[in-house]
Amino acid sequence: MTPVTILGLGPMGRALAGAYVAAGHPTTVWNRTPGKAPEGAVEAATVAEAAGELTVVSVIDYDAVTAILDAEALRGKTLVNLTADTPRRAREMAAWAADRGIDYLEGAVACPTTAIGTPAGLIFYSGPREVFSRWEAELSVLAAPMYLGDDHGRAAAFDVAVLDAFWNALAGVVHAYALGASEGISAAELMPMLRGLGEILPSLIEECGANVESGEHPGTASSIRSARAAISHVIAASEGAGLATGALRAARDYTERAVADGRGDEGFSLLTEYVTARRDT
């Protein structure tokens, strides 16, 4: 079994190390605070001592990555970075590794720690195909590996796009509970209705994605004009309750610009174009 190294023993790092130990891989670990090695792993005193032919790093952010890595110890070896950050920083990290003779794969964990080491797990990877293929069997121990191409920033790009939807949705959920509470509605009363929204979201996600791909945004079921009215009602109620409305106001701004352009009768998926326009201004 191939020896592997894990740098960082937070919740995700411990899950990664535990998966390798369970699969029978000799596993060396290092953590800034010692004494956190899972049973069956060997704890190294330094990063240089820990570094192996396949070294996986999972820490809080890229500042932590650059602070702990020992470039000389990793020269000629493969570094897999499962620390989430932006596509730009992923590409910068890849350039740093290339300048130091380190084979580099960028990764992004797309599942909770409980899914690591199980068929339900998923991790995005990007970087040289040859490097990914060389270690695909070992990476598959952690979770199903999804290879996204040579561009090192691509895994991070997928990650932040998915997290964009997730955190905006979760922020909307807690905002909804707060708005309900302002009118005396308990979380227990509101929960079934919000769960019902969750059940229809998959079809809406697919429909919106298909529209974005085709460039056609039919508003037969619901138009931007009607969405603007509904969002305005939520904003008014929220402000009456003293709640923040920043995200809602941004969404309404997109609808207002679309209506001003004479496109109010098209579907909500059209607003992708207005989000992009705001980014470029």
Side-chain angles (χ1 to χ4, degrees):
M1 299 294 283
T2 306
V4 296
T5 295
I6 302 293
L7 304 179
L9 293 174
M12 183 57 70
R14 285 181 59 83
L16 299 172
Y20 277 130
V21 169
H25 288 267
T27 304
T28 301
V29 299
W30 175 89
N31 192 60
R32 189 185 300 273
T33 304
K36 294 187 176 182
E39 185 177 354
V42 175
E43 186 170 13
T46 66
V47 170
E49 179 186 323
E53 292 303 311
L54 176 62
T55 297
V56 179
V57 58
S58 175
V59 290
I60 189 65
D61 57 28
Y62 271 42
D63 291 338
V65 172
T66 56
I68 68 173
L69 290 184
D70 186 317
E72 193 55 41
L74 289 167
R75 186 179 300 276
K77 299 179 173 67
T78 298
L79 176 65
V80 179
N81 188 2
L82 297 185
T83 304
D85 212 299
T86 66
R88 176 185 61 81
R89 294 202 73 181
R91 296 179 184 110
E92 291 173 351
M93 190 70 197
W96 177 92
D99 288 344
R100 291 158 179 78
I102 302 168
D103 288 338
Y104 183 75
L105 287 176
E106 178 71 19
V109 180
C111 62
T113 57
T114 52
I116 295 296
T118 77
L122 175 65
I123 300 178
F124 302 140
Y125 293 98
S126 55
R129 164 66 80 172
E130 181 275 328
V131 178
F132 173 77
S133 297
R134 186 194 318 159
W135 299 107
E136 184 174 2
E138 288 78 11
L139 297 177
S140 296
V141 170
L142 301 177
M146 180 179 289
Y147 177 70
L148 298 170
D150 289 337
D151 174 7
H152 282 94
R154 197 158 168 81
F158 269 73
D159 184 48
V160 294
V162 172
L163 290 177
D164 185 13
F166 176 80
W167 287 115
N168 272 292
L170 196 57
V173 169
V174 297
H175 195 279
Y177 280 130
L179 182 56
S182 73
E183 290 291 339
I185 302 172
S186 71
E189 290 176 296
L190 197 55
M191 192 184 308
M193 289 69 174
L194 297 183
R195 187 182 297 117
L197 289 178
E199 291 170 357
I200 67 171
L201 273 176
S203 62
L204 293 177
I205 290 169
E206 292 181 7
E207 178 184 331
C208 186
N211 291 347
V212 171
E213 281 289 308
S214 69
E216 299 291 332
H217 306 279
T220 49
S222 179
S223 70
I224 289 172
R225 198 182 308 277
S226 65
R228 179 183 62 170
I231 293 170
S232 294
H233 300 155
V234 179
I235 290 173
S238 297
E239 290 180 342
L243 304 180
T245 58
L248 290 165
R249 285 187 166 276
R252 187 173 65 180
D253 178 61
Y254 304 144
T255 67
E256 288 177 343
R257 287 191 286 138
V259 170
D261 288 343
R263 307 188 70 178
D265 293 328
E266 296 185 55
F268 199 78
S269 54
L270 169 70
L271 298 184
T272 301
E273 298 177 13
Y274 288 86
V275 175
T276 304
R278 164 155 287 193
R279 180 197 63 195
D280 294 337
T281 56

